[in-house]
Amino acid sequence: MEFSQKSELLSLTPRELEELLLSLGEPKYRAGQIFPQLHKGLSPEEMTNIGKLTRQRLSEATTYHLPRVKRKLVSALDGTVKYLFELSDGNCVESVLMQYEHGTTICISTQVGCNMGCRFCASTIGGKVRNLTPGELLGQVIAAGRDSGERIDGIVMMGIGEPLDNFDAVVRFLDLVNRPEGVNIGYRHISLSTCGLVDKIDRLAALRLPITLSISLHAADDETRSAIMPINRKYNIAALLAACKRYFEATGRRISFEYTLIAGKNDSREAAEQLALLLNRSLRTRTEGMPIHVNLIPVNEVKESGFQRSGAKAVKAFAAVLERNGIRATVRRTLGADINASCGQLRKETAESELHE
């Protein structure tokens, strides 16, 4: 690996850190001293286990930036914490720290903005500014852990951006965050959500990482899905579900399907029957098939979309239809309802506020 410009320390693997240190005239064993400290949130200047000259060389040859907490909202209802993190270039992303019985999970962003154009999502308003680096992905986990004092046990890649549209950085992040000498979050405690980039799902399947893949489906027919999710015009439902089947065959990992319920659009009993039929026919045979789980999500009401969330009665009826057809269905628990904890809204609100100052 060549180091012709300043390297971002948090994006380096231990082996790459060894190579960097050798190029700076330092012994490679120092990587074992430095890597764990970086993942605890310490810059080279703050490390006390290496000498002054080593710290100086690292500082001159590399960069180390943890996201800065620009805004922080804490739910009075359930303790959910929503962060607006400012990156080194001034751009902002959101992360959400959520408490569950089994531990603490963080939902992180993978891009500044998003190009996918899903109509129900605040993150895509204004399009994509840029991809995040592996270090910026990791930095959200480290910064939230340091600020909260919590041990983070799980990661959901469902914040701002489409993870598979930033494929290489996301895969490197998964490797880094899984390292025992670093943050040490197991692959099985990580979920990645995608709107359905079929080619990238196949690339991910080839890696055989034991993460949980979540598919944002939101409709059972192409006309409805294309109207709310433009990606469906490139990769239709049949192509997407075929990729899901290939993913399951390659990894053995169950796929979770996310279905946002929008009043009057996709929340009828007929839509539920259509969804059940689609999933059973596409992913199962009479004797075998992948386990199917649908996560029902009442839509977050974003004023630009005009969509309204389904009522409790409609949600319950939709879930009952799926269960009756042999499909496990759960309704996502709303966390941080009093702080608009869904991603994209705080970044947008803050940007608009600063524009009018």
Side-chain angles (χ1 to χ4, degrees), residues 220-282:
D221 67 276
D222 285 323
E223 181 180 0
T224 302
R225 192 168 191 264
S226 293
I228 59 176
M229 301 183 71
I231 190 64
N232 196 71
R233 297 168 197 153
K234 182 173 183 179
Y235 300 114
N236 66 16
I237 291 175
L240 175 57
L241 294 183
C244 290
K245 196 168 185 178
R246 292 192 296 272
Y247 184 91
F248 175 72
E249 290 169 350
T251 66
R253 296 286 290 165
R254 186 197 75 179
I255 294 173
S256 179
F257 291 92
E258 297 155 9
Y259 193 99
T260 294
L261 289 163
I262 305 168
K265 293 285 184 182
N266 64 354
D267 65 341
S268 66
R269 289 174 185 264
E270 292 75 17
E273 293 283 2
Q274 188 179 10
L275 177 62
L277 183 64
L278 171 73
L279 294 177
N280 280 324
R281 282 186 172 175
S282 301

Side-chain angles (χ1 to χ4, degrees), residues 80-210:
T80 296
V81 182
K82 185 169 187 178
Y83 291 102
L84 182 68
F85 282 126
E86 184 176 49
L87 306 173
S88 60
D89 64 354
N91 278 303
C92 293
V93 294
E94 295 174 30
S95 303
V96 181
L97 201 64
M98 300 164 286
Q99 302 290 340
Y100 294 98
E101 289 183 5
H102 58 269
T104 302
T105 294
I106 187 169
C107 177
I108 66 169
S109 297
T110 55
Q111 297 175 314
V112 180
C114 182
N115 262 347
M116 296 298 107
C118 299
R119 284 191 55 207
F120 52 82
C121 182
S123 299
T124 197
I125 298 170
K128 185 179 87 171
V129 178
R130 68 172 176 86
N131 288 327
L132 297 189
T133 66
E136 289 171 330
L137 298 174
L138 186 59
Q140 294 170 70
V141 181
I142 296 171
R146 281 170 63 88
D147 180 78
S148 66
E150 297 282 345
R151 157 67 190 177
I152 295 176
D153 308 289
I155 297 170
V156 180
M157 307 185 79
M158 201 180 290
I160 296 171
E162 161 56 54
L164 295 186
D165 190 38
N166 189 14
F167 188 89
D168 292 336
V170 164
V171 168
R172 176 173 283 250
F173 160 74
L174 292 171
D175 172 48
L176 290 169
V177 81
N178 181 248
R179 297 273 177 163
E181 63 271 48
V183 176
N184 191 25
I185 297 176
Y187 286 129
R188 294 181 184 275
H189 299 284
I190 300 174
S191 295
L192 184 154
S193 175
T194 176
C195 66
L197 303 184
V198 167
D199 57 334
K200 303 295 175 56
I201 291 172
D202 285 331
R203 283 183 64 188
L204 189 64
L207 298 176
R208 289 176 166 78
L209 300 176

